[in-house]
Amino acid sequence: RDEPFQTEKFASPGNALQFDFEGFVNMGENLPYLGQQATVELWLSPLSYVENEEASVYIVGNEKRYTIMVLADGTIQLRLARDENQWNTFNTHYPVKEGEWVHLAYTFDFDTVERHSIKAYINGNLFQEFKVSGINEILGDGNPGHFTVGSRLSSTDDPFFSASIDELRFWNSVRTVEQIRTSMADTLGPDIYGNEQSGLVGYWRFDKLEDLGISDNHGPIADGMDDVRDYSVNGNHGDLTEYGAGLTS
């Protein structure tokens, strides 16, 4: 059995996106097609759990394809849509402690029946592997829905929580454990995010707020210095809503 990969106590590189029981980031409906192989990575640090202790909270996701949640007991759960009305749930049972940074990575390999799997990595260590059936793509190319961070766009009843999120990354490939470990504690440079061949299709550092001409719900009217930059070649920038969310160093 391999020895666990040890990470030093993580301090986010630069600023991080912080929610204080309000607000979310809306990236709109233009996320790139990922297909049968993908990796999603982020750093998460809960500061305080939901005001409703029996509710789960939404970290990041696409309201019609998948969501990553923190349940009422503090554990992380992934939900994937089988169709418009049915979802599969995959609970890591890993409790995220308040005030600590945790690196979370999910890899999706739906290329063949033999490799039809989802792997969950916690702090660079393979934590669980789920065998999957009935799901063919992590992000398809039809009816994508809005991609948001902090809450779903379609539900104003979702509970919010207080947490910091940093270094959110989407890859259109299955990252190896060595690749995850090598880059998880660093920001990515332009040789990666500016290179179409790198496989990086979404990259949000949350280092600063800018006026990128993105409006709430991605409509035609821009609304000031509350946009977050997607550093990838796709430039899928997001709009920060509500005053209870912002950046923290």
Side-chain angles (χ1 to χ4, degrees):
R1 183 182 176 88
D2 294 339
E3 290 295 321
F5 177 63
Q6 300 296 324
T7 57
E8 298 179 359
K9 189 173 182 180
F10 178 75
S12 64
N15 293 327
L17 180 65
Q18 181 173 307
F19 298 98
D20 188 14
F21 296 113
E22 291 184 278
F24 63 95
V25 176
N26 179 16
M27 273 73 166
E29 298 181 283
N30 298 318
L31 275 189
Y33 172 66
L34 294 183
Q36 296 176 317
Q37 295 186 313
T39 302
V40 178
E41 297 181 74
L42 61 91
W43 280 95
L44 173 69
S45 177
L47 304 177
S48 180
Y49 281 110
V50 294
E51 295 165 314
N52 179 356
E53 295 182 355
E54 296 182 356
S56 58
V57 292
Y58 179 106
I59 303 173
V60 61
N62 174 289
E63 59 188 350
K64 296 183 179 179
R65 295 289 182 180
Y66 76 97
T67 60
I68 299 174
M69 314 283 291
V70 174
L71 302 184
D73 61 0
T75 59
I76 299 170
Q77 183 184 85
L78 171 72
R79 299 178 183 178
L80 290 180
R82 296 175 64 91
D83 54 42
E84 291 186 0
N85 301 310
Q86 292 183 312
W87 291 73
N88 280 13
T89 59
F90 309 91
N91 195 343
T92 64
H93 302 287
Y94 180 87
V96 183
K97 298 179 181 178
E98 294 182 10
E100 291 187 7
W101 282 101
V102 172
H103 184 266
L104 175 65
Y106 281 105
T107 64
F108 305 88
D109 193 346
F110 301 162
D111 190 32
T112 67
V113 174
E114 291 77 11
R115 294 186 294 149
H116 216 60
S117 69
I118 300 169
K119 293 181 180 180
Y121 293 87
I122 305 291
N123 291 333
N125 295 293
L126 177 60
F127 192 76
Q128 278 182 316
E129 181 173 5
F130 306 98
K131 297 299 182 181
V132 182
S133 62
I135 303 173
N136 295 320
E137 298 173 327
I138 172 60
L139 275 181
D141 57 358
N143 196 23
H146 282 252
F147 172 60
T148 56
V149 179
S151 179
R152 288 181 297 174
L153 180 68
S154 62
S155 176
T156 57
D157 295 328
D158 277 359
F160 296 98
F161 72 140
S162 178
S164 294
I165 298 173
D166 205 9
E167 288 293 310
L168 176 60
R169 306 168 183 176
F170 275 43
W171 307 83
N172 64 3
S173 62
V174 177
R175 302 283 283 174
T176 67
V177 64
E178 290 79 13
Q179 289 173 321
I180 292 171
R181 290 175 176 179
T182 298
S183 64
M184 57 186 279
D186 296 318
T187 57
L188 302 177
D191 57 322
I192 301 295
Y193 65 71
N195 181 0
E196 292 185 0
Q197 304 305 313
S198 69
L200 184 70
V201 294
Y203 180 36
W204 298 271
R205 284 182 176 176
F206 303 124
D207 278 344
K208 60 182 178 180
L209 296 178
E210 304 176 68
D211 185 355
L212 301 173
I214 310 299
S215 71
D216 189 14
N217 295 339
H218 283 54
I221 302 174
D223 57 358
M225 299 286 290
D226 59 359
D227 301 330
V228 294
R229 181 179 295 275
D230 173 12
Y231 283 83
S232 80
V233 294
N234 291 298
N236 195 58
H237 312 310
D239 186 70
L240 180 64
T241 70
E242 304 294 341
Y243 293 106
L247 300 182
T248 182
S249 58

